[in-house]
């Protein structure tokens, strides 16, 4: 099973079949979130995926399968609780043993790398067949939170969580997207299935809508920080 999971991750993690990295309408794992991304001994972290589909809206769901990639001595720290895959941080004594095994300094957080798989069109507890793969790191032995999404504006206005984003069908009109982030240390991805995204990997991006573009869909923002944290927002969108 370990070999199958690793092969699934290597084969599909790059999503080389997509036309543009900002397009939402593809079957793929867009992001994997650990909540929280870093935990102290005895604490737990829940794993969730943000999924894109060729047909249908994006979805947040637990992976169908998860398994520790490294370090192998912590394979038992990932388990399924009946609804979600979770990571449970081991005791400080055990973390100390793993640090020695890995040659890490005393007190250094241990990076747990977890492979996750999701299968379409049916949910299966295996990365086999039509599974898709990704790798998520959870840091054991320290506290951490996912990055807050700050300063978010669309054309200068903060959008409500349930807002519908409306773009102009005049292709000379640019809808400006902004979020507070450091383009050097944070990773920002704007994605859409409506219109065309420009500067998708910068904190300041914009959308235009050409005659051949889709005029209904969703807009998404994924923000990753340098400590392994991930946050996202998704809105319905249309052009008129």
């Amino acid at each position: 099973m370990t070999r199958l999971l690793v092969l699934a991750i290597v084969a599909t993690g790059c999503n080389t079949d997509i036309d543009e990295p900002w397009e939402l309408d593809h079957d793929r794992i867009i992001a994997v979130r650990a909540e929280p991304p870093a935990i102290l001994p005895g604490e737990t972290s829940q794993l969730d995926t943000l999924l894109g589909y060729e047909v249908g809206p994006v979805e947040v769901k637990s992976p169908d399968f998860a398994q520790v990639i490294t370090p192998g001595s912590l394979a038992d720290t990932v388990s399924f609780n009946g609804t979600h895959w979770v990571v449970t941080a081991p005791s400080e004594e055990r973390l100390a043993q793993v640090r020695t095994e890995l040659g890490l300094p005393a007190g250094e957080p241990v990076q747990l790398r977890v492979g996750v798989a999701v299968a379409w069109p049916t949910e299966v507890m295996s990365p086999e067949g039509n599974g898709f793969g990704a790798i998520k790191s959870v840091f054991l032995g320290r506290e951490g939170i996912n990055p807050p999404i700050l300063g978010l504006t669309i054309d200068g206005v903060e959008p409500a969580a349930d807002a519908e984003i409306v773009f102009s069908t005049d292709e000379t009109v640019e809808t400006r997207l902004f979020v507070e982030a450091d383009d050097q240390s944070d990773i920002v991805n704007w994605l859409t299935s409506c219109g065309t995204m420009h500067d998708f990997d910068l904190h300041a991006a914009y959308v235009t809508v050409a005659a051949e573009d889709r005029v209904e869909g969703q807009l998404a923002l994924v923000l990753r920080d340098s400590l392994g944290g991930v946050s996202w927002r998704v809105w319905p969108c249309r052009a008129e």
Side-chain angles (χ1 to χ4, degrees):
M1 188 64 73
T2 301
R3 176 177 171 80
L4 289 172
L5 179 59
V6 173
L7 287 175
I9 292 168
V10 171
T12 64
C14 295
N15 293 313
T16 56
D17 61 325
I18 64 174
D19 294 329
E20 297 288 349
W22 51 261
E23 292 184 3
L24 275 177
D25 51 350
H26 295 276
D27 290 345
R28 58 174 171 146
I29 297 175
I30 299 169
V32 183
R33 178 179 61 197
E35 183 57 61
I39 51 179
L40 295 172
E43 295 181 339
T44 60
S45 176
Q46 178 177 298
L47 301 177
D48 289 300
T49 58
L50 180 66
L51 305 178
Y53 298 102
E54 184 175 357
V55 178
V58 300
E59 179 184 18
V60 177
K61 69 185 291 290
S62 179
D64 293 314
F65 185 81
Q67 181 174 289
V68 172
I69 302 299
T70 57
S73 57
L74 293 179
D76 61 334
T77 58
V78 173
S79 62
F80 188 69
N81 66 8
T83 58
H84 286 85
W85 286 92
V86 297
V87 174
T88 302
S91 67
E92 181 56 42
E93 292 75 16
R94 191 171 173 199
L95 284 178
Q97 294 174 354
V98 174
R99 291 186 188 102
T100 299
E101 168 194 329
L102 299 176
L104 298 175
E108 182 80 5
V110 174
Q111 182 181 12
L112 186 78
R113 299 174 71 245
V114 181
V116 302
V118 179
W120 283 274
T122 57
E123 298 181 3
V124 296
M125 300 298 292
S126 168
E128 299 179 53
N130 56 351
F132 289 73
I135 297 175
K136 178 63 182 175
S137 290
V138 180
F139 290 88
L140 310 178
R142 70 167 172 83
E143 295 180 293
I145 61 172
N146 286 310
I149 295 178
L150 303 174
L152 174 67
T153 60
I154 298 179
D155 276 344
V157 178
E158 180 180 0
D162 59 350
E164 181 181 48
I165 310 304
V166 179
F167 303 125
S168 172
T169 53
D170 181 346
E171 61 183 300
T172 67
V173 175
E174 300 174 353
T175 299
R176 293 286 172 173
L177 313 174
F178 179 88
V179 67
E180 290 183 8
D182 186 335
D183 287 336
Q184 300 302 312
S185 60
D186 299 326
I187 298 176
V188 179
N189 287 150
W190 298 94
L191 308 99
T192 186
S193 51
C194 179
T196 297
M197 183 69 67
H198 305 265
D199 297 333
F200 80 97
D201 57 352
L202 300 179
H203 72 281
Y206 64 98
V207 173
T208 58
V209 181
E212 66 274 13
D213 288 340
R214 285 182 55 181
V215 295
E216 289 186 323
Q218 290 178 295
L219 172 70
L221 165 65
V222 179
L223 175 64
R224 299 174 174 88
D225 66 20
S226 59
L227 300 176
V230 178
S231 296
W232 56 62
R233 292 277 299 274
V234 181
W235 307 264
C237 64
R238 60 183 171 86
E240 63 177 26

